[in-house]
PDB file of all heavy atoms in Angstrom:
ATOM      1  N   ILE A  34       8.980  13.686  -3.927  1.00 98.00           N
ATOM      2  CA  ILE A  34       8.373  14.534  -4.939  1.00 98.00           C
ATOM      3  C   ILE A  34       9.362  14.723  -6.053  1.00 98.00           C
ATOM      4  O   ILE A  34      10.578  14.981  -5.811  1.00 98.00           O
ATOM      5  CB  ILE A  34       7.966  15.913  -4.354  1.00 98.00           C
ATOM      6  CG1 ILE A  34       6.760  15.726  -3.402  1.00 98.00           C
ATOM      7  CG2 ILE A  34       7.591  16.887  -5.477  1.00 98.00           C
ATOM      8  CD1 ILE A  34       6.317  17.014  -2.737  1.00 98.00           C
ATOM      9  N   ASP A  53       8.144  15.729   7.738  1.00 95.00           N
ATOM     10  CA  ASP A  53       9.526  15.689   8.170  1.00 95.00           C
ATOM     11  C   ASP A  53      10.483  15.643   7.018  1.00 95.00           C
ATOM     12  O   ASP A  53      11.664  16.050   7.139  1.00 95.00           O
ATOM     13  CB  ASP A  53       9.760  14.452   9.087  1.00 95.00           C
ATOM     14  CG  ASP A  53       8.899  14.514  10.340  1.00 95.00           C
ATOM     15  OD1 ASP A  53       8.689  15.611  10.893  1.00 95.00           O
ATOM     16  OD2 ASP A  53       8.414  13.424  10.772  1.00 95.00           O
ATOM     17  N   ARG A  56      11.394  20.377   3.830  1.00 95.00           N
ATOM     18  CA  ARG A  56      11.557  21.677   4.467  1.00 95.00           C
ATOM     19  C   ARG A  56      11.440  22.771   3.384  1.00 95.00           C
ATOM     20  O   ARG A  56      11.419  22.489   2.203  1.00 95.00           O
ATOM     21  CB  ARG A  56      12.919  21.743   5.147  1.00 95.00           C
ATOM     22  CG  ARG A  56      13.108  20.730   6.271  1.00 95.00           C
ATOM     23  CD  ARG A  56      12.307  21.196   7.512  1.00 95.00           C
ATOM     24  NE  ARG A  56      12.555  20.342   8.676  1.00 95.00           N
ATOM     25  CZ  ARG A  56      11.662  19.470   9.160  1.00 95.00           C
ATOM     26  NH1 ARG A  56      10.500  19.329   8.517  1.00 95.00           N
ATOM     27  NH2 ARG A  56      11.953  18.759  10.233  1.00 95.00           N
ATOM     28  N   ASN A 102       2.252   2.244  -6.978  1.00 96.00           N
ATOM     29  CA  ASN A 102       1.547   1.649  -5.843  1.00 96.00           C
ATOM     30  C   ASN A 102       1.116   0.219  -6.257  1.00 96.00           C
ATOM     31  O   ASN A 102       0.441   0.064  -7.252  1.00 96.00           O
ATOM     32  CB  ASN A 102       0.295   2.442  -5.474  1.00 96.00           C
ATOM     33  CG  ASN A 102      -0.540   1.791  -4.414  1.00 96.00           C
ATOM     34  OD1 ASN A 102      -0.026   1.093  -3.557  1.00 96.00           O
ATOM     35  ND2 ASN A 102      -1.841   2.001  -4.466  1.00 96.00           N
ATOM     36  N   LEU A 132       9.551  -1.957 -12.819  1.00 96.00           N
ATOM     37  CA  LEU A 132       8.463  -1.418 -13.640  1.00 96.00           C
ATOM     38  C   LEU A 132       8.938  -0.202 -14.476  1.00 96.00           C
ATOM     39  O   LEU A 132       8.631  -0.108 -15.624  1.00 96.00           O
ATOM     40  CB  LEU A 132       7.293  -1.020 -12.734  1.00 96.00           C
ATOM     41  CG  LEU A 132       6.029  -0.450 -13.441  1.00 96.00           C
ATOM     42  CD1 LEU A 132       5.487  -1.433 -14.457  1.00 96.00           C
ATOM     43  CD2 LEU A 132       4.991  -0.068 -12.401  1.00 96.00           C
ATOM     44  N   HIS A 162       1.908  -4.001 -20.147  1.00 98.00           N
ATOM     45  CA  HIS A 162       0.827  -4.905 -19.714  1.00 98.00           C
ATOM     46  C   HIS A 162       1.099  -6.346 -20.166  1.00 98.00           C
ATOM     47  O   HIS A 162       0.743  -7.292 -19.452  1.00 98.00           O
ATOM     48  CB  HIS A 162      -0.539  -4.454 -20.313  1.00 98.00           C
ATOM     49  CG  HIS A 162      -1.104  -3.243 -19.653  1.00 98.00           C
ATOM     50  ND1 HIS A 162      -0.945  -2.961 -18.335  1.00 98.00           N
ATOM     51  CD2 HIS A 162      -1.853  -2.213 -20.177  1.00 98.00           C
ATOM     52  CE1 HIS A 162      -1.555  -1.817 -18.049  1.00 98.00           C
ATOM     53  NE2 HIS A 162      -2.136  -1.349 -19.138  1.00 98.00           N
ATOM     54  N   ARG A 163       1.707  -6.506 -21.330  1.00 97.00           N
ATOM     55  CA  ARG A 163       2.013  -7.861 -21.809  1.00 97.00           C
ATOM     56  C   ARG A 163       3.094  -8.556 -20.920  1.00 97.00           C
ATOM     57  O   ARG A 163       3.034  -9.750 -20.718  1.00 97.00           O
ATOM     58  CB  ARG A 163       2.473  -7.838 -23.267  1.00 97.00           C
ATOM     59  CG  ARG A 163       1.354  -7.620 -24.291  1.00 97.00           C
ATOM     60  CD  ARG A 163       1.856  -7.923 -25.678  1.00 97.00           C
ATOM     61  NE  ARG A 163       2.921  -6.986 -26.111  1.00 97.00           N
ATOM     62  CZ  ARG A 163       2.720  -5.882 -26.731  1.00 97.00           C
ATOM     63  NH1 ARG A 163       1.471  -5.476 -27.018  1.00 97.00           N
ATOM     64  NH2 ARG A 163       3.728  -5.075 -27.074  1.00 97.00           N
ATOM     65  N   PHE A 183      -1.201   4.918 -15.483  1.00 98.00           N
ATOM     66  CA  PHE A 183      -1.863   3.725 -15.938  1.00 98.00           C
ATOM     67  C   PHE A 183      -2.111   2.779 -14.788  1.00 98.00           C
ATOM     68  O   PHE A 183      -1.467   2.866 -13.737  1.00 98.00           O
ATOM     69  CB  PHE A 183      -1.108   3.051 -17.103  1.00 98.00           C
ATOM     70  CG  PHE A 183       0.328   2.668 -16.798  1.00 98.00           C
ATOM     71  CD1 PHE A 183       0.676   1.403 -16.313  1.00 98.00           C
ATOM     72  CD2 PHE A 183       1.347   3.597 -17.011  1.00 98.00           C
ATOM     73  CE1 PHE A 183       1.984   1.078 -16.051  1.00 98.00           C
ATOM     74  CE2 PHE A 183       2.652   3.257 -16.753  1.00 98.00           C
ATOM     75  CZ  PHE A 183       2.991   1.988 -16.281  1.00 98.00           C
ATOM     76  N   GLN A 243      -7.398   2.452 -23.896  1.00 98.00           N
ATOM     77  CA  GLN A 243      -7.360   1.121 -23.287  1.00 98.00           C
ATOM     78  C   GLN A 243      -6.150   0.386 -23.857  1.00 98.00           C
ATOM     79  O   GLN A 243      -6.046   0.194 -25.036  1.00 98.00           O
ATOM     80  CB  GLN A 243      -8.624   0.319 -23.502  1.00 98.00           C
ATOM     81  CG  GLN A 243      -8.642  -1.124 -23.011  1.00 98.00           C
ATOM     82  CD  GLN A 243      -8.313  -1.171 -21.534  1.00 98.00           C
ATOM     83  OE1 GLN A 243      -7.226  -1.635 -21.144  1.00 98.00           O
ATOM     84  NE2 GLN A 243      -9.232  -0.771 -20.696  1.00 98.00           N
ATOM     85  N   MET A 311     -21.120   1.591  14.397  1.00 98.00           N
ATOM     86  CA  MET A 311     -22.350   2.425  14.541  1.00 98.00           C
ATOM     87  C   MET A 311     -23.531   1.697  13.949  1.00 98.00           C
ATOM     88  O   MET A 311     -24.627   1.685  14.541  1.00 98.00           O
ATOM     89  CB  MET A 311     -22.151   3.784  13.912  1.00 98.00           C
ATOM     90  CG  MET A 311     -21.262   4.699  14.732  1.00 98.00           C
ATOM     91  SD  MET A 311     -21.327   6.432  14.129  1.00 98.00           S
ATOM     92  CE  MET A 311     -20.546   6.255  12.519  1.00 98.00           C
ATOM     93  N   HIS A 315     -26.909   0.192  15.799  1.00 98.00           N
ATOM     94  CA  HIS A 315     -28.241   0.589  15.314  1.00 98.00           C
ATOM     95  C   HIS A 315     -29.092  -0.634  15.055  1.00 98.00           C
ATOM     96  O   HIS A 315     -30.252  -0.720  15.507  1.00 98.00           O
ATOM     97  CB  HIS A 315     -28.088   1.465  14.091  1.00 98.00           C
ATOM     98  CG  HIS A 315     -29.402   1.790  13.438  1.00 98.00           C
ATOM     99  ND1 HIS A 315     -30.344   2.612  13.999  1.00 98.00           N
ATOM    100  CD2 HIS A 315     -29.951   1.397  12.243  1.00 98.00           C
ATOM    101  CE1 HIS A 315     -31.385   2.738  13.228  1.00 98.00           C
ATOM    102  NE2 HIS A 315     -31.189   1.998  12.122  1.00 98.00           N
ATOM    103  N   GLU A 323     -17.991   5.473  22.552  1.00 96.00           N
ATOM    104  CA  GLU A 323     -16.551   5.553  22.286  1.00 96.00           C
ATOM    105  C   GLU A 323     -15.806   5.139  23.581  1.00 96.00           C
ATOM    106  O   GLU A 323     -15.881   5.842  24.595  1.00 96.00           O
ATOM    107  CB  GLU A 323     -16.147   6.982  21.857  1.00 96.00           C
ATOM    108  CG  GLU A 323     -16.714   7.414  20.541  1.00 96.00           C
ATOM    109  CD  GLU A 323     -15.965   6.763  19.354  1.00 96.00           C
ATOM    110  OE1 GLU A 323     -14.868   6.241  19.554  1.00 96.00           O
ATOM    111  OE2 GLU A 323     -16.517   6.819  18.226  1.00 96.00           O
ATOM    112  N   CYS A 427     -10.513 -17.129  18.915  1.00 97.00           N
ATOM    113  CA  CYS A 427     -11.161 -16.468  20.054  1.00 97.00           C
ATOM    114  C   CYS A 427     -10.354 -16.706  21.329  1.00 97.00           C
ATOM    115  O   CYS A 427     -10.097 -15.787  22.106  1.00 97.00           O
ATOM    116  CB  CYS A 427     -12.591 -16.979  20.200  1.00 97.00           C
ATOM    117  SG  CYS A 427     -13.540 -16.229  21.530  1.00 97.00           S
ATOM    118  N   ILE A 436     -16.975 -13.098  16.390  1.00 97.00           N
ATOM    119  CA  ILE A 436     -17.733 -13.274  15.184  1.00 97.00           C
ATOM    120  C   ILE A 436     -17.065 -12.568  14.032  1.00 97.00           C
ATOM    121  O   ILE A 436     -16.632 -11.416  14.160  1.00 97.00           O
ATOM    122  CB  ILE A 436     -19.192 -12.747  15.340  1.00 97.00           C
ATOM    123  CG1 ILE A 436     -20.015 -13.052  14.086  1.00 97.00           C
ATOM    124  CG2 ILE A 436     -19.236 -11.265  15.694  1.00 97.00           C
ATOM    125  CD1 ILE A 436     -21.503 -12.857  14.267  1.00 97.00           C
ATOM    126  N   ARG A 448     -20.590  -4.670  -3.176  1.00 97.00           N
ATOM    127  CA  ARG A 448     -21.189  -4.701  -4.492  1.00 97.00           C
ATOM    128  C   ARG A 448     -22.511  -3.954  -4.536  1.00 97.00           C
ATOM    129  O   ARG A 448     -22.875  -3.399  -5.597  1.00 97.00           O
ATOM    130  CB  ARG A 448     -21.364  -6.161  -4.928  1.00 97.00           C
ATOM    131  CG  ARG A 448     -21.822  -6.329  -6.372  1.00 97.00           C
ATOM    132  CD  ARG A 448     -22.132  -7.781  -6.680  1.00 97.00           C
ATOM    133  NE  ARG A 448     -21.001  -8.650  -6.519  1.00 97.00           N
ATOM    134  CZ  ARG A 448     -20.880  -9.666  -5.671  1.00 97.00           C
ATOM    135  NH1 ARG A 448     -21.922  -9.963  -4.875  1.00 97.00           N
ATOM    136  NH2 ARG A 448     -19.788 -10.390  -5.614  1.00 97.00           N
ATOM    137  N   SER A 460      -7.883 -12.226  -2.110  1.00 95.00           N
ATOM    138  CA  SER A 460      -6.956 -13.345  -1.887  1.00 95.00           C
ATOM    139  C   SER A 460      -6.587 -13.547  -0.447  1.00 95.00           C
ATOM    140  O   SER A 460      -6.367 -14.684  -0.011  1.00 95.00           O
ATOM    141  CB  SER A 460      -5.680 -13.118  -2.729  1.00 95.00           C
ATOM    142  OG  SER A 460      -5.059 -11.916  -2.407  1.00 95.00           O
ATOM    143  N   GLU A 474       5.555 -21.703  -4.589  1.00 88.00           N
ATOM    144  CA  GLU A 474       6.971 -21.352  -4.550  1.00 88.00           C
ATOM    145  C   GLU A 474       7.158 -19.837  -4.450  1.00 88.00           C
ATOM    146  O   GLU A 474       8.044 -19.347  -3.740  1.00 88.00           O
ATOM    147  CB  GLU A 474       7.674 -21.875  -5.841  1.00 88.00           C
ATOM    148  CG  GLU A 474       7.814 -23.382  -5.922  1.00 88.00           C
ATOM    149  CD  GLU A 474       6.525 -24.067  -6.283  1.00 88.00           C
ATOM    150  OE1 GLU A 474       5.558 -23.397  -6.760  1.00 88.00           O
ATOM    151  OE2 GLU A 474       6.427 -25.312  -6.089  1.00 88.00           O
ATOM    152  N   TYR A 475       6.280 -19.089  -5.163  1.00 87.00           N
ATOM    153  CA  TYR A 475       6.337 -17.650  -5.090  1.00 87.00           C
ATOM    154  C   TYR A 475       6.042 -17.158  -3.653  1.00 87.00           C
ATOM    155  O   TYR A 475       6.750 -16.302  -3.104  1.00 87.00           O
ATOM    156  CB  TYR A 475       5.388 -17.025  -6.063  1.00 87.00           C
ATOM    157  CG  TYR A 475       5.319 -15.505  -5.989  1.00 87.00           C
ATOM    158  CD1 TYR A 475       6.311 -14.730  -6.570  1.00 87.00           C
ATOM    159  CD2 TYR A 475       4.303 -14.889  -5.271  1.00 87.00           C
ATOM    160  CE1 TYR A 475       6.254 -13.354  -6.479  1.00 87.00           C
ATOM    161  CE2 TYR A 475       4.247 -13.497  -5.165  1.00 87.00           C
ATOM    162  CZ  TYR A 475       5.208 -12.753  -5.777  1.00 87.00           C
ATOM    163  OH  TYR A 475       5.179 -11.365  -5.688  1.00 87.00           O
ATOM    164  N   LEU A 476       5.000 -17.722  -3.044  1.00 86.00           N
ATOM    165  CA  LEU A 476       4.641 -17.334  -1.699  1.00 86.00           C
ATOM    166  C   LEU A 476       5.748 -17.635  -0.709  1.00 86.00           C
ATOM    167  O   LEU A 476       6.055 -16.860   0.217  1.00 86.00           O
ATOM    168  CB  LEU A 476       3.341 -18.035  -1.302  1.00 86.00           C
ATOM    169  CG  LEU A 476       2.072 -17.611  -2.066  1.00 86.00           C
ATOM    170  CD1 LEU A 476       0.917 -18.530  -1.657  1.00 86.00           C
ATOM    171  CD2 LEU A 476       1.736 -16.168  -1.832  1.00 86.00           C
TER     172      LEU A 476
END
Side-chain angles (χ1 to χ4, degrees):
I34 289 175
D53 300 322
R56 296 286 187 253
N102 174 33
L132 181 59
H162 287 327
R163 284 193 297 269
F183 56 93
Q243 176 55 252
M311 286 191 293
H315 173 69
E323 293 285 344
C427 183
I436 184 168
R448 187 186 298 121
S460 58
E474 291 76 16
Y475 176 80
L476 293 173

